[in-house]
């Protein structure tokens, strides 16, 4: 039992440390490191155990600059379908959604008792 708990705590610590790393945001030239200029912008705000919206809408094939703003507590966002993870230090990037559907947005930093309920969704429309 103790070994299992120690392993779980170690994994959580590694996850939190990995979430704290990252590069500084790019300048405001509008062109990303991939050379793509965003055509849309999405701002996702996080507070204690919730995001500012239950769902966010994007268009398939349209480059969008996604920015994460941490308003209260220590949170981040993870969107596995877009290969995206943002937090306070690495808070913006440009992505081009390539498939339509509904995808989960979750908190990427262990933030306390309500962490597992800190979920929203992104709907990518054709």
């Amino acid at each position: 039992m103790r070994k299992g708990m120690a392993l779980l705590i170690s994994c959580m610590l590694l996850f939190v440390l990995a979430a704290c790393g990252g590069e500084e945001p790019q300048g405001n030239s509008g062109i990303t490191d991939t050379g793509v200029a965003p055509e849309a912008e999405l701002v996702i705000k996080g507070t204690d155990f919730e995001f500012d919206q239950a769902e966010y809408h994007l268009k398939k094939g349209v480059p969008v600059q996604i920015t994460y703003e941490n308003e209260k507590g220590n949170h981040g966002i993870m969107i596995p379908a877009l290969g995206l993870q943002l937090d306070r230090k690495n808070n913006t990037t440009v992505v081009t959604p390539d498939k339509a559907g509904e995808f989960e947005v979750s908190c990427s930093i262990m933030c306390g008792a309500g962490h597992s309920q800190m979920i929203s969704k992104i709907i990518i429309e054709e």
Side-chain angles (χ1 to χ4, degrees):
M1 177 70 177
R2 285 186 177 177
K3 288 181 181 180
M5 190 62 138
L7 179 62
L8 177 64
I9 290 171
S10 297
C11 289
M12 288 174 28
L13 179 60
L14 287 173
F15 184 71
V16 169
L17 290 174
C20 292
E23 299 175 10
E24 293 298 314
Q26 299 291 321
N28 292 329
S29 67
I31 304 296
T32 66
D33 57 346
T34 60
V36 177
E39 296 177 25
E41 182 179 7
L42 171 65
V43 177
I44 300 174
K45 297 178 182 181
T47 62
D48 280 338
F49 313 126
E50 65 182 4
F51 295 110
D52 63 325
Q53 296 181 34
E55 58 187 49
Y56 305 90
H57 294 263
L58 299 175
K59 294 281 187 185
K60 178 182 171 186
V62 176
V64 59
Q65 178 173 335
I66 300 177
T67 302
Y68 174 68
E69 294 180 3
N70 196 78
E71 295 194 327
K72 184 176 179 187
N74 186 24
H75 309 283
I77 61 168
M78 180 170 45
I79 309 170
L82 297 177
L84 179 67
Q85 184 169 340
L86 300 174
D87 54 37
R88 285 182 180 193
K89 292 182 180 180
N90 182 25
N91 70 336
T92 189
T93 193
V94 174
V95 298
T96 304
D98 61 355
K99 57 186 170 186
E102 292 186 10
F103 305 100
E104 184 174 281
V105 177
S106 61
C107 182
S108 63
I109 298 175
M110 179 57 86
C111 54
H115 174 73
S116 62
Q117 287 81 38
M118 194 167 173
I119 297 173
S120 185
K121 65 182 166 181
I122 286 200
I123 299 172
I124 301 173
E125 301 162 342
E126 288 285 341

